[in-house]
């Protein structure tokens, strides 16, 4: 059941199962070669994550992208990731510092090669490496928030990736310069500077997503989260 859940979750987060698409339990069970019981359990977990919506006895769908949801996701990241950074940098090892540097270097290689999958993999490794010392519960929560963030980034920021002069490629180059600043602070063990650079990076990302969509106003909860950080 875990494998089934992971496969469905990944397809939703990456957009392979598009937002709003109908989930036929009969077709999914046939496609994955499973009975309805493990499928319903996987869907129940996805429902709890708000990745699917509907009723088991009626029609279920992949949840639509909702920028209010994105606003809350990034507000939570802004509130929690600096705590994870402080916990991690307080006892970071040379090996962990080297791993962070390697991830940033590989992200640059991925950008140069227009390899989005490689970039995504190293991007996740870098960000979660910054909070690896946060403790099991907090780190797991940050991993889930990261995964949900990725669904929006792929849809709004990296949808036209593939050409060196595309808007997506330009956004990744801007993001990479921010990663370098975050890394520089992390390598000196300066948790405050690292957190400031990280929060600025997260805030810019969510603001770009909102600019890409003209359907809703500027994010609200993110602004409160940033203000709370500034007031500390």
């Amino acid at each position: 059941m875990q494998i089934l859940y992971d496969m469905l979750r990944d397809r939703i987060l990456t957009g392979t199962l598009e937002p709003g698409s109908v989930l036929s339990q009969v077709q999914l069970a046939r496609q994955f070669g499973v009975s309805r019981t493990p499928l319903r359990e996987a869907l129940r977990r996805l429902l709890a994550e708000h990745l699917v919506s509907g009723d088991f006895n009626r029609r279920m769908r992949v949840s639509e992208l909702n920028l209010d949801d994105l606003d809350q996701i990034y507000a939570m990241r802004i509130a929690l990731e600096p705590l994870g950074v402080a916990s991690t940098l307080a006892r970071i090892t040379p090996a962990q510092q080297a791993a962070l540097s390697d991830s940033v270097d590989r992200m640059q290689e991925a950008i140069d090669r227009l390899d989005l999958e490689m970039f995504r993999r190293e991007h996740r490794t870098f960000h979660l490496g910054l909070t690896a010392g946060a403790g099991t519960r907090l780190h797991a929560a940050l991993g889930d928030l990261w995964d949900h963030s990725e669904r929006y980034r792929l849809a709004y920021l990296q949808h036209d990736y593939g050409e060196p002069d595309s808007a997506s490629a330009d956004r990744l180059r801007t993001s990479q310069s921010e990663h370098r600043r975050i890394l520089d602070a992390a390598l000196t063990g300066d948790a405050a500077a690292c957190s400031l650079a990280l929060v600025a990076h997260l805030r810019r990302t969510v603001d770009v997503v909102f600019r890409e969509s003209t359907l809703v106003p500027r994010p609200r909860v993110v602004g409160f989260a940033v203000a709370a950080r500034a007031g500390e």
Side-chain angles (χ1 to χ4, degrees), residues 4-5 9 19 58 64 79 118 125 132-133 173 191-192 199 215 226:
L4 177 61
Y5 161 77
R9 187 175 188 268
R58 296 180 182 177
E64 298 282 359
M118 179 181 178
T125 299
R173 286 189 285 268
V199 168
L215 301 178
V226 171

Side-chain angles (χ1 to χ4, degrees), residues 53-191:
S53 59
D55 189 304
F56 284 107
N57 298 316
R58 296 180 182 177
R59 180 171 292 180
M60 301 195 75
R61 295 179 181 271
V62 175
S63 295
E64 298 282 359
L65 292 172
N66 180 331
L67 294 188
D68 285 337
D69 178 50
L70 175 71
D71 181 24
Q72 294 176 56
I73 290 168
Y74 270 81
M76 292 171 70
R77 290 185 63 187
I78 286 169
L80 295 176
E81 286 190 30
L83 174 60
V85 165
S87 300
T88 301
L89 295 189
R91 51 183 179 273
I92 195 168
T93 66
Q96 289 172 317
Q97 291 177 320
L100 291 173
S101 295
D102 287 346
S103 287
V104 172
D105 288 343
R106 285 193 289 267
M107 277 192 280
Q108 185 60 56
E109 179 183 351
I111 291 171
D112 295 340
R113 291 167 46 183
L114 299 177
D115 187 337
L116 181 58
E117 289 308 309
M118 179 181 178
F119 180 86
R120 289 181 57 218
R121 183 172 61 252
E122 298 301 334
H123 192 201
R124 189 180 195 277
T125 299
F126 173 68
H127 273 273
L128 293 186
L130 289 167
T131 60
T136 303
R137 187 181 293 274
L138 179 55
H139 194 243
L142 291 173
D144 284 342
L145 290 170
W146 169 271
D147 291 341
H148 284 258
S149 300
E150 187 77 339
R151 187 179 185 219
Y152 290 89
R153 282 193 300 271
L154 287 171
Y156 287 99
L157 303 183
Q158 296 164 6
H159 53 85
D160 61 346
Y161 196 71
E163 297 296 332
D165 58 350
S166 69
S168 292
D170 186 58
R171 283 191 287 264
L172 287 187
R173 286 189 285 268
T174 298
S175 181
Q176 184 67 352
S177 67
E178 295 170 349
H179 292 141
R180 290 285 180 189
R181 286 193 289 273
I182 295 167
L183 174 65
D184 288 344
L187 293 180
T188 64
D190 190 338

